[in-house]
Every structure is written in C-alpha cells, then in structure tokens.
Amino acid sequence: MLHYIVRRVLIAIPVLLGITILNFCIVNLAPGNPVDMFIDPNTPQQLVEAKKEMLGLNDPLIIQYFKWLWHLLHGGFGYSFSSFAPVTHIIGERIGPTLMLTSISLTLGVLIAIPIGILSAVKQNTRFDYIMTGLSFIWTSIPQFFLGLGLIYVFALHFKILPTGGMLTIGGDGSLADRIKHLILPVSVLTIAIIGKKIRYVRASMLDVLKQDYLRTARAKGLHAFIVTNKHALRNALIPIITVFGMEIPLLLGGSIIIEQIFQWPGIGQLTMQSILSRDYPTLMGLNFIAAIIVLATNLFMDILYFVADPRVKYN
C-alpha cells in the first residue's frame, strides 16, 4: 500500500503540472484585462501601459507562466493584482471558513444519507421508502440558490431567529453559539443537496447487494437481519457509496461559490467570484491549484478507503 501511495503521489506531479498549464491558458485567454478593472477609465494610456509592464502583462504567455511557476517552486503563488498582497496570505485567510462549512455539511450528509438509504432499501416499497424517495427527488430538484434564499426569508427575515449571513455577528462576542447560528443556514442548504442525491445512490447500491444469493442463504440460516444488513450487505455495497461521496467533495467546493455569495460567507468560494470579476489572475491560479490538489488527494483517499472496505482490493 505504501508503494502504491508513493507511486500515486509521483504520478500526481505531472498531472498537476498539466492542470496548471491548462488553467493558466484558460485564465489568461479569457476576455478582459485586469488593469482595466482597477484603473479609472480616464487614466492616460501611458500610465495604463506602465501598469501592465509593472504587472508583467506585456510579457509573452509562456514567460508569464514560468514566472508563476517560479513563485510556486518557492512556496507561493505571487501577488494579487487587486490588493498586491501575497496570494498565499489571501487564500490562507479564506480556506478555513470554507473547509469548516464543507466538512460539516459532508459529515452530516454521510451520517443522514447512508442510514436513510439503507432503511429505504430494506423497507423497499413501504410507506417509509416512498416518503424518502419522494423527498430525495424534491431535495435534488430544488436549486441551491433558491433554497438558500427561501431559508433566509423564513428563518432570518420572517421568524428572525437566525442571521441572514456572515460568519460572526458584527459587534457581537464571537462566541461558539454565535458561530453555530451563522453556520446553520448555509450548512443546511449544502447538507440537503448532498442527502437528496446520495439517498438514492445508497438505496440502489444496497438493493443490488440485498438480492445476492449469499445473503438469502445467511437469512435462511437464521442470521439476525441487523447483522445481515449492516455487516455483510453494507460492506459489499460500500465501494460505490465511497465513490459517490468522494465525488461530492469537488462538487461541494464548486457549490460553495454560490452558497458563500448568498450567505456572505468569507471563504474561498466568495474569493473565487471576486477574483473572476476583478480578473485577478494570480489569485485564480492559486485557487485552481489548491482545488486540483484537493481533487487528487480525494481520489487517493478514496482508493485507500476501497482497500479498507474490501480486503479483496489489491494494489500491486
């Protein structure tokens, strides 16, 4: 296993390099100029050209890429075009809130979706199964931005029991209770989106396994239904379940862009949107690089979980 992990990490290096080249081309070939975004339109053209020269925007793309790569090899992503602060410092301030938001949502999604999916499969074609399947369709069909705005209207504006957004109350004490109150609505939106999709995956995976002959034999021998379902059936259904939950992590990062905008959550989703609007290329490249690392690390973690869930999986 250790050799496999080392091999995967070594393979990830050229993959990451390819992703950075592709991202750099896409970011720099997009229409618009970063200097135009923060300079007054009436500024003399000479000053605009001087600004472009200072930021290195007049260099050929390949030179700009190698300059960015030089910063990366020295442990940074360069300097932001809009704030002139180190990109690592800007991202470092924002990544914590996003990790907190997405990790709590994913954990709640796993803890809710898997038991409901299992019960729905075991109680197939019962009232519980119909209700859960119907709810999962409804939760999947509701767009996240619409659900977020609806929850803000009901709980923040109508009942006034939760804040409309932000991470802390301005002028508040910054207590744990205050942070939890600000987390409830954005976490609810992300969690509902996760469990809406995943209940059906878990149910379908469990139904496939529950029809296997060896489980019928186990039941015929008098093995308790709880052990048959949760020990033998669940373990064999885990591989596809691990896959779909692992694939949810990149989707969560993408979905956080919308959620953080709606709830004014100061994470990397909000930073990504600000960087796109201001054509802040170094910050966008830094965000894309971190997203690529998270995706590659998630894939490696899923492969390790496959081995843990099913000892028949071998990595030779």
Side-chain angles (χ1 to χ4, degrees):
M1 175 58 81
L2 181 61
H3 289 167
Y4 174 77
I5 294 173
V6 172
R7 195 166 71 243
R8 284 288 300 269
V9 171
L10 292 176
I11 291 172
I13 295 173
V15 173
L16 268 177
L17 194 63
I19 291 172
T20 61
I21 294 172
L22 188 63
N23 282 335
F24 190 84
C25 292
I26 293 172
V27 166
N28 282 274
L29 293 177
N33 190 310
V35 175
D36 297 336
M37 305 305 296
F38 55 84
I39 279 189
D40 189 284
N42 299 319
T43 304
Q45 190 60 31
Q46 287 180 333
L47 289 179
V48 174
E49 290 300 323
K51 197 71 179 178
K52 285 183 181 177
E53 188 67 29
M54 187 191 80
L55 296 175
L57 294 172
N58 289 331
D59 295 333
L61 274 185
I62 190 166
I63 300 296
Q64 293 184 42
Y65 174 74
F66 277 110
K67 282 183 177 178
W68 179 84
L69 199 60
W70 179 256
H71 284 297
L72 181 65
L73 292 174
H74 287 77
F77 299 113
Y79 293 87
S80 165
F81 282 172
S82 55
S83 66
F84 303 106
V87 172
T88 48
H89 178 70
I90 297 171
I91 296 177
E93 288 182 335
R94 299 294 195 100
I95 198 165
T98 295
L99 288 179
M100 180 169 61
L101 184 67
T102 52
S103 59
I104 293 174
S105 304
L106 185 62
T107 303
L108 288 174
V110 170
L111 293 178
I112 296 171
I114 290 181
I116 292 178
I118 293 172
L119 274 176
S120 194
V122 172
K123 298 179 181 295
Q124 188 186 14
N125 298 329
T126 63
R127 186 177 297 176
F128 177 83
D129 183 32
Y130 292 141
I131 292 173
M132 287 300 117
T133 305
L135 285 176
S136 69
F137 275 114
I138 294 171
W139 290 334
T140 307
S141 304
I142 300 176
Q144 290 186 16
F145 74 92
F146 184 79
L147 180 60
L149 293 174
L151 292 179
I152 288 174
Y153 175 77
V154 173
F155 294 101
L157 301 180
H158 187 71
F159 292 112
K160 300 184 187 302
I161 55 177
L162 291 173
T164 56
M167 197 172 167
L168 293 168
T169 302
I170 298 175
D173 56 1
S175 62
L176 180 62
D178 186 54
R179 292 171 186 268
I180 292 173
K181 283 176 67 178
H182 284 78
L183 267 170
I184 290 175
L185 290 184
V187 165
S188 299
V189 175
L190 289 175
T191 304
I192 288 173
I194 293 171
I195 62 178
K197 290 177 282 187
K198 299 303 175 282
I199 283 176
R200 286 185 294 158
Y201 282 114
V202 176
R203 178 181 180 275
S205 182
M206 282 296 292
L207 281 177
D208 284 341
V209 175
L210 287 172
K211 294 173 183 173
Q212 299 296 319
D213 290 338
Y214 68 93
L215 288 179
R216 291 197 187 98
T217 305
R219 292 191 202 96
K221 286 184 175 180
L223 204 60
H224 196 278
F226 182 84
I227 296 176
V228 172
T229 303
N230 293 287
K231 185 176 179 181
H232 298 288
L234 178 59
R235 185 154 194 169
N236 287 300
L238 272 180
I239 296 282
I241 293 173
I242 291 171
T243 303
V244 294
F245 275 100
M247 290 169 62
E248 189 64 35
I249 294 175
L251 295 176
L252 264 179
L253 290 175
S256 69
I257 294 177
I258 299 172
I259 298 305
E260 290 181 7
Q261 286 294 314
I262 293 173
F263 292 100
Q264 291 300 302
W265 190 260
I268 58 172
Q270 195 182 60
L271 178 63
T272 301
M273 184 58 73
Q274 293 168 354
S275 303
I276 292 171
L277 295 176
S278 62
R279 309 289 198 277
D280 192 349
Y281 298 161
T283 306
L284 276 176
M285 285 297 296
L287 290 167
N288 288 333
F289 185 77
I290 289 173
I293 287 180
I294 290 174
V295 171
L296 292 173
T298 301
N299 286 331
L300 178 58
F301 183 61
M302 283 163 56
D303 286 345
I304 296 171
L305 284 182
Y306 293 157
F307 176 76
V308 174
D310 190 348
R312 292 173 298 178
V313 176
K314 301 293 182 188
Y315 296 114
N316 296 321

